[in-house]
Amino acid sequence: MDFTPTEEQETARQLAARIFGDLATHERLTTVGTDTDPELWKALCSAGLLGAVEEIGLLGLVLLAEEQGRTTAQVPLVACGVYGVLTVARHGTDEQRARLLPGLRAGTTVVTGAFPADGRISAGEDGLLTGTVDRVPWLRDATHVLVPDQERALWLVATTEASVVPVELTAPWAAGRLVLDGAAGERIGGAEPSAAGGAEPSAGGGAEPSAAGETEARAGACADVLAAARIAFAGLQAGVCAGSLARAVAYTSVREQFGRPLATRQAVQSRAADAHMDTEAIRVTAYEAAWRHDHDLPSAGHALTAAWWASEAGKRVVHTGQHLHGGAGADLGHPVHRHFLWGRQLDAYLGCGTEVLAELGDMIANGDPS
């Protein structure tokens, strides 16, 4: 396995780093508040970065997510990349790809995902969707939302068909509460079933063999999207942690105590070294899981491993970053505090370490080959 980025992936990463560095400054983020930065989103899409995700794959998206996390830039890049571009490219029909991908590449179609929905969305016999998901990131910016129903089929729903109630999370992710009440949706990867998750009866009274295959395909597509999302958001956490640690190193290198920089203290060096190792563990597990996903190798277990490291280690790193700033770290307006908020939000969004570990343990106990 080789995690060295391809020329296309490295070019996209460098371009993203330059755009985020120029536009996602502390001053601009302060002005934006808890909303998304429309100028930054336009710049990213005009540069072709969202469209590039289709070519550079999940590992490429992880690299872009890292650069976003370093600056805590407030745009739906990761959500739209994984729930929109990659999902439609991998699981959409030829007609859906031809119709949906141009808008996704241009950024005029913005997709987020109601994951995990935990069976809270049900599809009726008429294909209309009902249910509620309390917290969906970047829902207030989205034109569409990807939702899995109780049978794990994937549906793309226009936000005009839903009720969107603004919700403020720990991090400023322009989130919302999704309420579906008989909303029309489009099945990703196939036509709507005649009954939710049902199979057409055969002449002998049993289900057609293709019905079981369709159910398995639905579950596989849903699991694939969930794994990809965990990997992509783990990559975002790697960037958040790297940005927090970089700020802590810069601060302790110039902040003096008793005539010496704080960075010369052994306790400070040890905390920073531990944070660096945690950050590298998040990064390498995300890279491995993304590489396997792009090569169509079993990656569900690796996605959970990356999510666990992003949750548990990410929490430690952002606490360290704030702690090493001393009293300045307690200032809500200090840049490092934004990394702290994002790190804690990603911890919660990924499922928190114990929940992810329990799911991984069940997978291993059940003999999952991945």
Side-chain angles (χ1 to χ4, degrees):
M1 104 186 24
D2 184 4
F3 302 152
T4 304
T6 64
E7 183 178 351
E8 292 79 7
Q9 290 170 338
E10 181 60 24
T11 299
R13 187 196 66 76
Q14 291 178 3
L15 180 57
R18 186 162 64 249
I19 294 174
F20 285 130
D22 290 344
L23 295 181
T25 62
H26 174 57
E27 293 73 23
R28 278 185 64 89
L29 290 170
T30 301
T31 302
V32 169
T34 61
D35 296 324
T36 293
D37 188 336
E39 183 179 341
L40 175 56
W41 180 245
K42 182 178 180 180
L44 291 168
C45 296
S46 298
L49 286 174
L50 198 60
V53 170
E54 189 180 351
E55 298 298 326
I56 62 179
L58 183 56
L59 181 56
L61 179 59
V62 166
L63 296 174
L64 300 184
E66 274 194 86
E67 298 306 324
Q68 178 182 357
R70 289 180 200 276
T71 57
T72 61
Q74 290 168 205
V75 286
L77 176 64
V78 177
C80 194
V82 71
Y83 294 126
V85 176
L86 287 181
T87 296
V88 172
R90 283 176 68 92
H91 302 293
T93 63
D94 290 341
E95 188 276 331
Q96 286 172 332
R97 286 193 288 269
R99 173 166 48 87
L100 296 172
L101 283 174
L104 287 165
R105 297 185 191 111
T108 54
T109 300
V110 180
V111 177
T112 188
F115 281 73
D118 299 327
R120 284 174 284 181
I121 303 296
S122 60
E125 294 185 3
D126 52 5
L128 300 181
L129 304 170
T130 302
T132 300
V133 180
D134 292 328
R135 294 170 296 277
V136 180
W138 286 288
L139 183 62
R140 301 201 302 265
D141 295 326
T143 59
H144 296 77
V145 58
L146 184 73
V147 299
D149 67 15
Q150 78 279 17
E151 299 293 336
R152 303 182 74 188
L154 296 173
W155 300 81
L156 193 63
V157 181
T159 50
T160 54
E161 293 283 331
S163 172
V164 176
V165 182
V167 172
E168 294 301 334
L169 303 180
T170 301
W173 285 2
R177 183 170 182 259
L178 178 70
V179 181
L180 303 177
D181 186 10
E186 176 183 0
R187 271 279 304 278
I188 293 297
E192 293 80 353
S194 57
E200 292 294 328
S202 67
E208 291 287 345
S210 60
E214 181 187 350
T215 300
E216 184 178 349
R218 285 201 303 266
C222 184
D224 181 78
V225 171
L226 178 57
R230 283 169 165 159
I231 297 165
F233 279 93
L236 184 62
Q237 182 76 299
V240 169
C241 291
S244 175
L245 182 58
R247 291 188 182 279
V249 169
Y251 177 81
T252 57
S253 296
V254 298
R255 176 72 167 89
E256 292 189 356
Q257 187 180 61
F258 306 118
R260 293 169 55 194
L262 287 174
T264 63
R265 308 286 177 179
Q266 187 176 11
V268 172
Q269 294 172 359
S270 296
R271 288 292 301 275
D274 287 344
H276 171 73
M277 294 305 297
D278 274 338
T279 301
E280 288 302 299
I282 299 169
R283 177 182 289 115
V284 73
T285 52
Y287 283 7
E288 179 185 13
W291 182 88
R292 293 182 65 89
H293 186 274
D294 285 341
H295 287 77
D296 294 321
L297 297 171
S299 59
H302 298 80
L304 284 168
T305 302
W308 182 83
W309 274 103
S311 177
E312 288 292 300
K315 187 164 47 182
R316 291 195 295 265
V317 173
V318 296
H319 274 267
T320 294
Q322 192 166 16
H323 189 196
L324 291 181
H325 278 77
D331 181 358
L332 301 184
H334 196 283
V336 77
H337 188 70
R338 191 176 291 111
H339 290 269
F340 174 78
L341 295 178
W342 277 63
R344 292 311 306 260
Q345 182 61 57
L346 282 162
D347 168 36
Y349 186 67
L350 288 166
C352 297
T354 52
E355 295 179 16
V356 174
L357 195 61
E359 186 176 345
L360 180 59
D362 290 340
M363 179 180 291
I364 294 172
N366 292 331
D368 190 291
S370 67

